[in-house]
């Protein structure tokens, strides 16, 4: 038996092989099918995708063979990777290189072998696609050509697989980075917005001078605007990462639309613009939809129309039922319009189009498109420079009905008075914000600065609700949750987080979650829902 020599550039060859991160991975249908096709084309009972590493040949895919690898020294493929063209052994018993090879003298009793090199783009042969039989034979020219083409397809699929893994890793790195950025930015914003809103709410108690009160309102507005921009960027990336989820609820459609119109009509009026609402008579009474996302889309589109329209013009928001029973939403304005060149890049992230002097980040329309597609709809834009813009999108009715089965509870106040809560929060400023916010709701507040302290308090004293920050010094919020549950405490625990990318809090055992900065109405809603479900 002759042992194949090592290629002269073996180190580079192995580096190339390892770069595919393919060795010892599970089977994949695309490689299984290519191997099956090689077996059928070459009319052989065995076909393999064989990758040659330092000590063995390992089979990514195989037909007609039970083992997953053999020693490199006895592998026919070790010889094949040294060739320039397809390597064929018509009768191994008559070939002195293989006559006494264990793979010939014992199972699988190889008599015929044909292998085409799997050559990476850098010219390195990492293995073979081979056809094997226990009977002598010879491939036709057509079979050789077909096997060679299939070998190139194997490499193409390996390259595609490597690219997809690289993109997945890059996306994960981006998600991890944005998750950290989300936490670092939203945490101080929680303090800025929280303190300013408390000052505004209790302005008379603090006897603030009019000028100081005006400054506080500006701080609150600016903080919320910054938070809105940050949320838009994070939402876009959540959509890309596949982590954006829908929270459908049944809404009374006409009321929902009139509320949004009423909110923006006064703003439009300040600019001398009339905002009209045209609702078709045959609209369904209710619509099952993610209320907040649909509202964000409509508000964004209406605000854009207001921003790019001038005094004396009017904007029409039209909602009708299409011929295929989809809800058609239209926003039509008489504004400055969008040029053909700008329309081509309208949905490019972070790229402003049109008149930059009218503001905007270039995120809004891209986010609207993402939300609409997430809800199963389609978005269309028609515009002519100087003549206005017509944007429409369609949504299915979902679980639309004439009967309200689920209503949004505004929860203006807590269902439990003097609620005894434990808050686990390490940031001193956010402790102050939380203390003031919860006390303004009539809660009795106990504060813990670490997970360990939170566990100790939760297991020694009785609380009606616990708010647990996730990122804590020492043990994390997840670990603190587990230790509290292990101690037999079943108090509802709500995750408190500035990381909008994590969405598995309920799966991890939390009874609810709320994002920083905490909004009063949202906080009340979360507490009430959690207490109701825990009864």
């Amino acid at each position: 038996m002759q042992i194949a020599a090592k290629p002269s550039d073996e180190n580079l060859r192995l580096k190339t092989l390892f770069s595919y991160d393919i060795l010892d991975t599970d089977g994949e249908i695309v490689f299984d099918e290519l191997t099956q096709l090689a077996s059928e084309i070459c009319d052989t009972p065995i076909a393999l995708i064989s990758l040659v590493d330092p000590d063995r040949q390992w089979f990514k895919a195989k037909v007609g063979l039970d083992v997953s690898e053999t020693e490199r020294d006895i592998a026919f493929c070790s010889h094949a990777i040294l060739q320039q063209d397809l390597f064929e052994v018509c009768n191994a018993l008559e070939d002195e290189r293989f006559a006494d090879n264990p793979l010939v003298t014992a199972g699988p009793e190889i008599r015929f072998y044909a292998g085409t090199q799997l050559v990476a783009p850098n010219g390195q042969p990492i293995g073979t696609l081979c056809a094997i039989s226990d009977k002598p034979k010879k491939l036709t020219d057509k079979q050789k050509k077909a096997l060679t083409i299939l070998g190139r397809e194997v490499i193409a699929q390996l390259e595609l697989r490597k690219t997809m893994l690289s993109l997945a890793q890059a996306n994960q790195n981006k998600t991890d980075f944005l998750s950290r950025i989300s936490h670092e930015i939203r945490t101080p914003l929680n303090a800025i917005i929280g303190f300013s809103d408390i000052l505004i709410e209790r302005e008379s108690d603090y006897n603030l001078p009019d000028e100081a009160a005006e400054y506080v309102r500006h701080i609150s507005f600016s903080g919320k605007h910054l938070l809105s921009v940050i949320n838009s960027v994070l939402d876009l990336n959540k959509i890309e990462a596949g982590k954006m989820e829908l929270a459908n609820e049944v809404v009374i459609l006409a009321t929902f639309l009139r509320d949004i119109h009423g909110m923006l009509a006064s703003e439009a009026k300040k600019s001398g613009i009339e905002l009209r609402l045209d609702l078709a008579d045959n609209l369904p009474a209710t619509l099952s939809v993610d209320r907040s996302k649909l509202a964000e889309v409509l508000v964004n589109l209406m605000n854009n129309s207001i921003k790019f329209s001038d005094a004396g013009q009017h904007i029409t928001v039209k909602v009708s039922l299409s011929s295929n029973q989809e809800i058609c939403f239209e926003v039509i304005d008489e504004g400055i319009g969008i040029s053909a060149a700008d329309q081509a890049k309208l949905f490019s992230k972070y790229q402003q189009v049109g008149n930059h002097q009218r503001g905007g980040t270039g995120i809004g329309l891209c986010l609207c498109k993402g939300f609409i597609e997430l809800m199963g709809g389609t978005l269309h834009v028609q515009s002519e420079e100087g003549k206005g813009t017509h944007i429409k999108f369609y949504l299915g009715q979902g679980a639309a009905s004439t009967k309200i089965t689920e209503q949004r509870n505004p929860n203006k106040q807590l269902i439990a008075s003097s609620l005894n809560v434990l808050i686990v929060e390490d940031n001193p400023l956010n402790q102050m914000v939380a203390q003031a916010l919860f006390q303004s709701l009539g809660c009795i507040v106990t504060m813990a600065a670490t997970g360990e302290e939170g566990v100790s308090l939760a297991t020694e004293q009785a609380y009606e609700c616990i708010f647990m920050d996730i990122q804590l010094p020492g043990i994390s919020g997840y670990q603190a949750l587990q230790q509290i549950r292990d101690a037999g405490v079943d108090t509802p625990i709500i995750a408190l987080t500035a990381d909008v990318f994590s969405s598995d809090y309920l799966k991890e055992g939390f009874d609810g979650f709320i994002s920083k900065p905490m909004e009063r109405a949202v906080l009340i809603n979360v507490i009430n829902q959690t207490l109701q479900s825990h009864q």
Side-chain angles (χ1 to χ4, degrees), residues 190-208 216-217 219-220 224 429-441 518-520 523:
N190 181 55
I192 294 169
I193 295 173
F195 282 135
S196 57
D197 283 353
I198 290 170
L199 286 172
I200 291 170
E201 184 179 335
R202 301 174 60 184
E203 182 179 331
S204 59
D205 295 340
Y206 291 108
N207 295 317
L208 290 178
V216 171
R217 282 189 284 273
I219 291 170
S220 176
K224 289 174 180 176
L429 285 177
N430 285 334
Q431 287 179 357
M432 295 173 64
V433 172
Q435 183 97 21
L437 179 57
F438 278 82
Q439 287 180 343
S440 73
L441 297 177
M518 291 184 288
E519 296 180 26
R520 182 187 179 92
L523 176 60

Side-chain angles (χ1 to χ4, degrees), residues 95-114:
D95 192 316
E96 61 181 14
R97 295 171 295 179
F98 305 106
D100 57 349
N101 187 302
L103 299 177
V104 176
T105 59
E109 297 185 347
I110 295 176
R111 297 296 178 268
F112 169 79
Y113 172 93

Side-chain angles (χ1 to χ4, degrees), residues 27-235:
E28 297 175 49
I29 190 169
V30 63
F31 297 110
D32 293 339
E33 290 178 343
L34 288 171
T35 307
Q36 183 67 48
L37 192 55
S39 172
E40 293 177 3
I41 287 174
C42 296
D43 193 21
T44 58
I46 298 173
L48 310 166
I49 293 177
S50 170
L51 301 171
V52 182
D53 76 7
D55 304 307
R56 58 176 181 156
Q57 63 169 347
W58 175 78
F59 309 133
K60 174 59 181 174
K62 56 185 185 293
V63 171
L65 202 63
D66 292 331
V67 299
S68 60
E69 61 183 65
T70 69
E71 296 176 24
R72 177 174 177 170
D73 286 349
I74 63 173
F76 281 58
C77 295
S78 297
H79 294 265
I81 62 172
L82 300 173
Q83 311 302 314
Q84 295 296 320
D85 300 315
L86 183 141
F87 180 62
E88 185 177 32
V89 178
C90 296
N91 189 343
L93 288 176
E94 297 177 356
D95 192 316
E96 61 181 14
R97 295 171 295 179
F98 305 106
D100 57 349
N101 187 302
L103 299 177
V104 176
T105 59
E109 297 185 347
I110 295 176
R111 297 296 178 268
F112 169 79
Y113 172 93
T116 184
Q117 291 180 322
L118 302 179
V119 182
N122 66 354
Q124 293 301 312
I126 61 172
T128 70
L129 171 63
C130 59
I132 297 172
S133 177
D134 57 356
K135 296 179 176 59
K137 65 174 295 169
K138 183 177 178 62
L139 296 183
T140 66
D141 289 342
K142 286 185 178 180
Q143 287 174 318
K144 290 179 181 179
K145 183 177 180 179
L147 187 61
T148 301
I149 292 172
L150 285 180
R152 290 199 291 267
E153 182 60 27
V154 171
I155 280 291
Q157 291 298 326
L158 286 172
E159 283 290 312
L160 177 60
R161 182 182 184 277
K162 181 164 72 171
T163 299
M164 295 301 291
L165 287 174
S166 177
L167 288 174
Q169 181 63 44
N171 281 334
Q172 185 57 51
N173 290 341
K174 182 175 70 173
T175 298
D176 292 343
F177 171 76
L178 287 170
S179 178
R180 292 193 299 272
I181 289 296
S182 166
H183 183 270
E184 294 300 321
I185 294 178
R186 291 168 70 92
T187 295
L189 270 179
N190 181 55
I192 294 169
I193 295 173
F195 282 135
S196 57
D197 283 353
I198 290 170
L199 286 172
I200 291 170
E201 184 179 335
R202 301 174 60 184
E203 182 179 331
S204 59
D205 295 340
Y206 291 108
N207 295 317
L208 290 178
D210 291 344
E211 188 175 11
E214 184 67 18
Y215 290 161
V216 171
R217 282 189 284 273
H218 288 323
I219 291 170
S220 176
F221 177 83
S222 297
K224 289 174 180 176
H225 177 69
L226 176 58
L227 179 63
S228 174
V229 173
I230 292 168
N231 285 342
S232 295
V233 174
L234 295 174
D235 281 345

Side-chain angles (χ1 to χ4, degrees), residues 438-509:
F438 278 82
Q439 287 180 343
S440 73
L441 297 177
C443 297
I444 302 168
V445 179
T446 301
M447 194 70 64
T450 66
E452 290 85 351
E453 185 182 355
V455 172
S456 177
L457 288 168
T459 53
E460 293 173 1
Q461 303 177 39
Y463 297 95
E464 294 171 271
C465 195
I466 299 172
F467 283 79
M468 181 71 66
D469 193 12
I470 299 299
Q471 297 190 26
L472 293 166
I475 64 172
S476 69
Y478 293 114
Q479 293 170 311
L481 166 72
Q482 190 59 53
Q483 291 183 23
I484 293 171
R485 293 296 184 236
D486 289 345
V489 178
D490 66 350
T491 304
I493 302 178
I494 297 172
L496 182 59
T497 177
D499 180 3
V500 298
F501 274 89
S502 298
S503 57
D504 294 333
Y505 301 113
L506 300 182
K507 294 179 183 177
E508 293 289 342

